[in-house]
Amino acid sequence: MSRKKYSTKLFYKYYLEWIHLYKDQAIRPVTLKKYYLIQRQLKELAPRLHLNELTRQNYQKILNQYAQTHQKTTTLDFHHHLRASLLDAYDDGLISIDPSRRAIIKGMRPDQNITKFLNFQQVQSLLKVLYLANEINWDWFIYLIIKTGLRFAEALALTPADFNFEKNLIRINKSWNYKEKIGYFQPTKNPTSNRTIIIDEQLMNQFSKLISTKPIDQPIFFKKDCRVFNNSLNRHLANYCQKANIPKITIHGLRHTHASLLLYAGVSVASVAKRLGHANTTTTQTIYLHIIQELEEVDNAKILNHLRQLHS
């Protein structure tokens, strides 16, 4: 009986072919770019590893080496991308085992100096140090995300046409691909991210004046031929946090801040999920579990207090 021969193709070359076969023209360009980035990282980590040499041990070594310079959540994402291709390789008989089975995910500790969200008083302190000029600037961008909870790329893609000043509404139906040298409009993260949110009248009046002379179909915060960097705006925001004597936070953290303030104000999880453009309330509940649990404890106290008043 002849012994089965498994594929001797280099792991990183197989992964590249797998991307071409299953991902090219099937997913958004920004997501596809991530697959290619992981393929290049895999080539650096394991340039001579062949498929038939893959074991749980040397796959774990790849993950461990990657984890030395990345946080745990990023390492988990790296693992998920590779594992999808390895499961196909196993099903197709190219490898004898699934080397990614029961992999241990490690990673660098997150920056302890960065908080996930600010409380109401901290937001008030931040707002006091922003320079909200008579012309649109990046401080207005920060202010808008605090008030709306938009994703970074969604806020970049806003045009004057997205503002309904009569009804105090903002339409989110696109995002901006800021990761390319020449940026462009692209679809939102998922279909449920296409949404319309209500905004307070004061903010709408302010933006009505700020963007009145802007081209109707062009981004309001920058010119299309200008490059925008997330890290630059995070540093800009960090300087304001230091000036306001509050914990350092990122632009994405302002989105979490918006959601947490709404939850603490008693807004339902379903309404918060819809406003943030989450695909379902499970996502919202997972991200803000600690807040929801805290609010449940408050509600339980209210329930018990009410029940104590009911007696025969």
Side-chain angles (χ1 to χ4, degrees):
M1 185 176 182
S2 62
R3 185 178 179 182
K4 185 173 182 178
K5 294 182 180 180
Y6 297 101
S7 175
T8 58
K9 187 181 295 293
L10 287 167
F11 183 16
Y12 77 86
K13 287 188 176 181
Y14 162 76
Y15 186 62
L16 180 61
E17 291 179 359
W18 180 85
I19 294 172
H20 290 327
L21 183 61
Y22 291 103
K23 300 301 176 182
D24 280 353
Q25 299 181 344
I27 55 179
R28 293 172 56 196
V30 65
T31 306
L32 182 63
K33 187 176 181 180
K34 190 173 185 180
Y35 278 91
Y36 281 111
L37 173 61
I38 288 175
Q39 192 273 337
R40 292 194 296 270
Q41 292 168 327
L42 176 61
K43 183 178 180 181
E44 293 178 4
L45 293 171
R48 300 182 184 86
L49 182 62
H50 297 78
L51 281 180
N52 63 321
E53 299 170 335
L54 267 170
T55 63
R56 288 185 57 214
Q57 289 74 24
N58 54 31
Y59 179 77
Q60 185 67 54
K61 287 180 181 178
I62 293 174
L63 293 183
N64 291 350
Q65 191 174 348
Y66 183 85
Q68 291 177 4
T69 56
H70 296 83
Q71 293 184 16
K72 190 172 182 178
T73 53
T74 309
T75 304
L76 179 61
D77 189 53
F78 178 76
H79 163 64
H80 283 161
H81 279 74
L82 293 182
R83 188 164 196 263
S85 72
L86 290 173
L87 290 176
D88 282 341
Y90 179 66
D91 288 344
D92 294 339
L94 302 179
I95 53 179
S96 59
I97 62 167
D98 170 17
S100 64
R101 186 176 66 88
R102 296 172 61 188
I104 304 299
I105 307 302
K106 306 175 184 180
M108 297 171 60
R109 295 185 63 182
D111 189 342
Q112 300 300 313
N113 295 322
I114 297 180
T115 189
K116 288 187 177 180
F117 61 90
L118 303 175
N119 60 35
F120 184 82
Q121 288 73 25
Q122 291 166 340
V123 170
Q124 290 291 80
S125 297
L126 175 59
L127 293 178
K128 289 179 182 178
V129 299
L130 293 181
Y131 177 59
L132 301 177
N134 293 327
E135 295 182 355
I136 203 79
N137 60 16
W138 290 114
D139 290 26
W140 281 109
F141 183 85
I142 292 172
Y143 186 47
L144 182 68
I145 291 184
I146 291 174
K147 288 267 196 170
T148 62
L150 295 183
R151 297 181 178 93
F152 179 69
E154 291 173 346
L156 288 178
L158 287 177
T159 68
D162 298 319
F163 288 75
N164 185 330
F165 295 109
E166 293 182 1
K167 297 183 178 180
N168 295 335
L169 299 173
I170 294 180
R171 177 187 59 187
I172 300 97
N173 61 0
K174 57 190 175 301
S175 63
W176 183 258
N177 187 348
Y178 61 92
K179 296 182 179 180
E180 303 290 342
K181 289 184 178 180
I182 301 178
Y184 53 86
F185 291 115
Q186 63 182 8
T188 53
K189 186 176 182 179
N190 51 57
T192 53
S193 293
N194 294 324
R195 60 202 189 278
T196 300
I197 61 174
I198 190 167
I199 302 297
D200 62 275
E201 186 175 331
Q202 179 187 9
L203 182 67
M204 293 300 282
N205 288 337
Q206 290 168 325
F207 269 84
S208 176
K209 298 174 183 177
L210 290 167
I211 65 177
S212 60
T213 60
K214 297 282 184 179
I216 194 71
D217 59 347
Q218 298 298 309
I220 64 176
F221 288 103
F222 61 98
K223 293 182 179 179
K224 289 182 70 174
D225 57 350
C226 293
R227 191 83 188 271
V228 181
F229 295 95
N230 186 279
N231 288 338
S232 298
L233 286 176
N234 281 335
R235 287 194 297 269
H236 181 66
L237 177 57
N239 289 334
Y240 275 134
C241 290
Q242 184 176 9
K243 187 176 180 180
N245 195 28
I246 60 174
K248 185 167 65 174
I249 196 169
T250 63
I251 294 292
H252 190 70
L254 296 180
R255 173 173 162 85
H256 290 317
T257 295
H258 178 79
S260 65
L261 292 179
L262 293 182
L263 290 170
Y264 279 125
V267 179
S268 70
V269 173
S271 293
V272 172
K274 184 177 180 181
R275 187 172 177 86
L276 294 181
H278 285 164
N280 51 62
T281 56
T282 302
T283 302
T284 314
Q285 290 170 331
T286 301
I287 296 174
Y288 304 106
L289 179 62
H290 58 296
I291 297 176
I292 294 170
Q293 289 175 337
E294 183 180 334
L295 292 173
E296 284 179 350
E297 292 176 4
V298 174
D299 286 342
N300 286 337
K302 292 179 180 178
I303 291 170
L304 290 176
N305 183 57
H306 178 70
L307 293 177
R308 290 189 189 103
Q309 298 178 46
L310 300 174
H311 52 81
S312 58

